[in-house]
Amino acid sequence: MTGSHPALTAHFPRWTVKGTAHHRTTCACCGHENLEHTVALAPLDLLGDASGPAVHFGPRCAAAVLHRPVAAVALAACHADMRAERKDAWARKIISLYGPMEFGTDQEMEAAWNRSGNASSSSWQAREFVTKFLADARAQLTDTTLRPTRPHSITDFQPFLVVLDTSNLRHHWCGVVPRENTEGFHTSARRDWTGMVSVTVAALDETSAVHVAFGRRGIAQYNAERGWF
């Protein structure tokens, strides 16, 4: 390792492994190019908090900086990747659930928040929570430390058909609604899922679509309970 990256001379006592970056193929330490991937490292201050932007080192340079075997760094990066994917999944759900409500009325905001598994809140509290959650979700999906920017706005939504049982307690199937032969798709779904409730929603992915489908029915129930129409 012959690197002279500024982070190496800043006397940071520790680093944390942020994950694997396949879109960054040049080591910021030694300058080696066309690597299969790099390892994203963030410097920690004396209190153990992240104190600067992540840098991308090749696996060997990352292992040298961390004073750990390459295999151990690879394992740490793998675990970090899984945590990052869970955060991405959370962000997609938040944007799918609340993105369309961002500029809604106070009643719409309160109903959307309170019927999505959250603690009961007033309309102004709900708007405050949603605004913060949406900002955090967008920041997560636009963070390019580990991967390029991911879809993160309502313009990126796709249509999904979600099939629920009549009790609305679980879903049986979810799939993207095709842009061609949409009518035939819905006809086939009705035939295959006779007796079930089919809901068409827009979301960033299938998992988020299921949350949106349950949330939509919950909002309708919440509004009915309060006489809001």
Side-chain angles (χ1 to χ4, degrees), residues 46-182:
L46 292 172
L47 298 177
D49 299 321
S51 57
V55 294
H56 293 82
F57 290 172
R60 293 186 180 279
C61 288
V65 168
L66 295 169
H67 304 290
R68 298 171 66 184
V70 172
V73 174
L75 181 61
C78 180
H79 287 305
D81 290 341
M82 289 188 288
R83 290 193 296 271
E85 179 49 44
R86 288 195 293 270
K87 289 180 180 179
D88 273 12
W90 172 85
R92 289 190 294 268
K93 182 185 78 170
I94 291 298
I95 293 173
S96 296
L97 278 171
Y98 304 121
M101 296 292 180
E102 185 172 14
F103 302 104
T105 65
D106 288 345
Q107 289 182 350
E108 290 174 324
M109 188 71 74
E110 181 181 334
W113 176 259
N114 289 337
R115 297 305 295 186
S116 297
N118 302 300
S120 181
S121 301
S122 64
S123 58
W124 69 266
Q125 289 175 315
R127 186 175 298 280
E128 186 177 84
F129 289 142
V130 168
T131 299
K132 181 183 185 305
F133 275 31
L134 283 173
D136 290 345
R138 289 165 180 151
Q140 173 64 29
L141 293 175
T142 55
D143 185 339
T144 59
T145 300
L146 300 182
R147 54 186 67 87
T149 298
R150 283 80 71 206
H152 59 276
S153 72
I154 58 176
T155 59
D156 297 313
F157 282 11
Q158 296 184 78
F160 292 90
L161 181 68
V162 183
V163 179
L164 312 172
D165 62 27
T166 54
S167 66
N168 298 323
L169 295 178
R170 61 178 180 146
H171 86 282
H172 293 269
W173 184 80
C174 178
V176 177
V177 178
R179 297 186 181 278
E180 297 181 0
N181 193 27
T182 302

